[in-house]
Amino acid sequence: RRLHVIGADATMAETATFFRYGATKAVVELIEEEYLTRLPWWDGQYHPSDIIPALRHYTRDPMLKKTARLGRGYYSATDLQEFYYENVARFSECTGRTDGERKKLLVLWDDLIRRARSASPEAVLSPLVDWAAKMRLVKERGLWYERSKRGEMLFPDNATRYHAQAMDIRYHDVS
């Protein structure tokens, strides 16, 4: 078995980059130390490939409220984050791994979860994560769109689509 982590990303928010690498490292530690041996959605019939439809479902939910079926239960993306956060926090406390970086990660992780559970997550997350910042920019400029049942973005016209896509590209232009 292997774990594939993509390191190259267009993330502009330093906070999001710190969180992604810090959380990944922390969860890998849990797995290596065999601290995380059972997932709440594991029911004996769950297969790792079942996560793919759930991930697709989550990516189409900017309000972070929708749940997806995993095993015999239904979980939101925020529920999954909270599960991993709680386990990392417990593991860190039990093993004394509460150095400055780990403390910073846990404080940030808790803050992100609280913001994600708010009534308007894109507004309160926009200073910290790219997807929320871009969503806020699109909304502020009146370029908002709807999503079809399959998840495609539906813009009212081609000009709106073009402006939204151009803004998405310009967001990452650091030159």
Side-chain angles (χ1 to χ4, degrees):
R1 296 183 185 228
R2 69 180 195 192
L3 174 66
H4 182 95
V5 178
I6 297 173
D9 187 26
T11 301
M12 300 294 289
E14 289 180 23
T15 304
T17 301
F18 170 77
F19 174 72
R20 179 183 49 226
Y21 288 114
T24 300
K25 179 183 177 197
V27 171
V28 168
E29 285 177 8
L30 296 183
I31 295 166
E32 287 176 341
E33 299 285 334
E34 297 182 358
Y35 185 84
L36 189 63
T37 57
R38 184 150 168 76
L39 304 174
W41 48 89
W42 177 264
D43 64 359
Q45 297 175 20
Y46 168 81
H47 188 271
S49 66
D50 293 342
I51 193 71
I52 301 302
L55 291 175
R56 284 190 185 119
H57 189 70
Y58 297 147
T59 62
R60 297 175 183 147
D61 177 29
M63 296 306 292
L64 307 176
K65 306 294 184 225
K66 292 183 181 176
T67 60
R69 188 163 199 264
L70 291 171
R72 293 188 182 148
Y74 287 84
Y75 302 89
S76 70
T78 308
D79 294 335
L80 302 184
Q81 283 295 323
E82 195 163 38
F83 168 79
Y84 286 110
Y85 162 76
E86 289 170 354
N87 277 277
V88 167
R90 264 195 308 276
F91 175 78
S92 298
E93 191 64 38
C94 291
T95 60
R97 296 181 189 179
T98 54
D99 63 343
E101 289 294 308
R102 183 58 61 92
K103 277 185 183 176
K104 183 178 174 184
L105 172 68
L106 291 172
V107 167
L108 174 61
W109 205 338
D110 182 55
D111 183 44
L112 291 171
I113 289 168
R114 281 187 295 102
R115 289 173 186 246
R117 294 222 185 268
S118 73
S120 184
E122 81 284 352
V124 294
L125 286 168
S126 64
L128 303 173
V129 296
D130 291 302
W131 70 264
K134 288 193 288 186
M135 176 186 271
R136 191 168 177 191
L137 285 171
V138 167
K139 281 183 173 181
E140 286 174 357
R141 282 155 181 76
L143 302 173
W144 188 236
Y145 56 85
E146 298 295 324
R147 286 200 183 261
S148 71
K149 288 184 180 184
R150 292 182 37 199
E152 294 105 1
M153 294 185 289
L154 302 174
F155 291 94
D157 53 53
N158 285 336
T160 304
R161 173 188 298 276
Y162 169 77
H163 288 300
Q165 290 170 339
M167 186 170 49
D168 184 32
I169 292 168
R170 283 192 311 265
Y171 178 86
H172 296 282
D173 183 10
V174 294
S175 59

